[in-house]
Amino acid sequence: MKSSCGTRFTFLVLYLFAVQCVYAGSFHKDVKIHWGDGRGKIHDNEGKLLSLSLDKTSGSGFQSNQEFLYGKAEVQMKLVPGNSAGTVTTFYLKSHGATWDEVDFEFLGNISGHPYTLHTNVYTKGLGDKEQQFHLWFDPTAGFHTYCITWNPQRIIFTVDGIPIREEFKNSESIGIHFPKSQPMRVYASLWEAEHWATRGGLEKTDWSKAPFTAYYRNYNVEGCVWANGKSSCPAKSHWFTKKLGKGGMNKVKWAQRKYMVYNYCTDKKRFPQGVPAVCT
C-alpha cells in the first residue's frame, strides 16, 4: 500500500504540472486596443487588467492579434455600475466580410436598480436571428465573473461562471443549417452606445451626466487553432476541441433557462408565424 505521504507528493506533482500547463493570456501581447482614442487602457505590467470607457464622443474596444478557426475564448468582466441605460458591453468572436460568422455575448445596460440583460446570438454567413436573453443570477457590476465561448467543429457552447446557459448550437449542416466552420474569427470586446434599442427597446436613454462609463476585463485567455497563411494550427489534445454537454451540463442549461431566460427565439411564434427556425427542432 502506498503511504499517505507518497500519495500527497504524487498529487502535488500532478497539481503543479497542471498549473504549469495552463496558458495565461496577456492584454499586452495578445490584443490590440483598436479604437477609442485612449479610452481603452491596460492597467498593469503583466497585462491582466484592461478597461474600456464610453463618453458622449466615443466608446472603445479591443481585438485579438490572432485569428482562430475554432477555439475557447474566456475573460472575466465587471460591468458598468449604476445607471448604464443605453450602453452595450461586449465579448464576442467575428470573421470578416459581408457573409461573416459571429458568436456574441452582449450586455445591455439598464437604469439603476434594474438588471442587465445578457444577449447571446450566433451569426452564420451574415445571418443572425438566434437570440436568447437572460437576467443573471448575480450582480455583474459588483465583481468579476467569467464568460466563455467554446467553438469546436461540432458545437458552440456559452458558459457563465462555468454554467452553460444555452443548449449547444450544434453543427447541423446535414439538414441544411449553416455552421461557422470555414471563416477564421478574431476575439473582440467593446463598450458602446445604443440608446435607440438597448434598454427597453430604446425607451430608456443614456444619462450622459454619468459618463464616462467604464467596464473592466481581466484574465483574458484564448486557447485555439491559430489561423495563419491560409491554414489553422491546433494545440494537441485540447479538451475544448471535442467538448460537449453531458446530462449534467444539460441539466444546468435547463436550470438557467427555467429561472433566468427572458427571451428565446425558438419559442417566438409571433416573430416566426410560419414556424420556428429548423435549428430549434
Side-chain angles (χ1 to χ4, degrees):
M1 180 181 293
K2 187 180 291 186
S3 70
S4 60
C5 180
T7 300
R8 288 196 296 269
F9 177 76
T10 301
F11 176 80
L12 177 61
V13 170
L14 290 173
Y15 173 78
L16 290 174
F17 177 78
V19 170
Q20 290 171 349
C21 288
V22 172
Y23 169 73
S26 166
F27 286 118
H28 284 302
K29 66 184 182 66
D30 292 334
V31 310
K32 173 184 178 182
I33 299 174
H34 66 299
W35 68 284
D37 291 330
R39 292 173 179 82
K41 298 177 181 179
I42 300 172
H43 292 268
D44 60 313
N45 292 334
E46 292 78 21
K48 300 298 183 186
L49 180 66
L50 180 150
S51 65
L52 298 177
S53 291
L54 163 70
D55 58 34
K56 202 166 186 177
T57 301
S58 177
S60 51
F62 68 81
Q63 66 177 37
S64 63
N65 291 328
Q66 294 176 313
E67 293 179 297
F68 303 90
L69 188 62
Y70 306 126
K72 176 185 176 183
E74 68 180 9
V75 75
Q76 294 182 321
M77 298 171 62
K78 183 178 179 183
L79 303 184
V80 175
N83 187 348
S84 58
T87 70
V88 181
T89 310
T90 71
F91 181 66
Y92 63 103
L93 312 178
K94 187 179 181 183
S95 65
H96 298 292
T99 56
W100 74 97
D101 296 331
E102 184 174 341
V103 184
D104 292 336
F105 274 124
E106 294 184 326
F107 300 85
L108 312 183
N110 212 331
I111 57 175
S112 297
H114 292 263
Y116 266 82
T117 297
L118 170 54
H119 177 97
T120 66
N121 203 355
V122 177
Y123 286 76
T124 55
K125 297 187 181 298
L127 299 175
D129 297 336
K130 305 175 190 69
E131 303 94 339
Q132 291 184 351
Q133 296 182 338
F134 303 82
H135 287 162
L136 295 166
W137 51 95
F138 52 83
D139 179 356
T141 74
F144 285 92
H145 293 269
T146 303
Y147 305 94
C148 179
I149 298 168
T150 300
W151 167 42
N152 64 41
Q154 296 302 319
R155 55 189 50 82
I156 296 169
I157 302 170
F158 296 78
T159 64
V160 176
D161 285 343
I163 297 174
I165 60 170
R166 287 185 65 140
E167 294 182 27
E168 301 167 325
F169 183 80
K170 295 180 180 178
N171 186 336
S172 301
E173 289 193 317
S174 60
I175 58 173
I177 297 171
H178 295 305
F179 184 85
K181 68 172 188 178
S182 59
Q183 300 188 83
M185 294 196 267
R186 292 187 191 273
V187 182
Y188 292 89
S190 59
L191 174 56
W192 49 287
E193 174 272 319
E195 67 175 12
H196 59 289
W197 67 270
T199 307
R200 295 183 61 214
L203 294 177
E204 302 290 350
K205 303 301 183 182
T206 304
D207 181 356
W208 292 111
S209 71
K210 301 293 192 295
F213 304 99
T214 302
Y216 292 89
Y217 297 75
R218 76 177 185 188
N219 294 336
Y220 170 87
N221 184 36
V222 180
E223 300 175 50
C225 303
V226 176
W227 182 267
N229 301 317
K231 60 182 180 180
S232 64
S233 176
C234 297
K237 298 181 180 179
S238 298
H239 172 68
W240 59 264
F241 195 79
T242 56
K243 182 178 176 64
K244 61 181 179 180
L245 296 181
K247 183 178 179 180
M250 288 306 301
N251 285 338
K252 291 177 181 178
V253 170
K254 292 176 182 177
W255 170 82
Q257 295 192 353
R258 182 178 68 254
K259 295 181 68 68
Y260 301 104
M261 177 181 277
V262 295
Y263 177 78
N264 184 0
Y265 76 108
C266 285
T267 60
D268 193 342
K269 296 181 179 179
K270 183 176 180 181
R271 181 180 176 189
F272 302 106
Q274 304 305 314
V276 298
V279 69
C280 297
T281 60

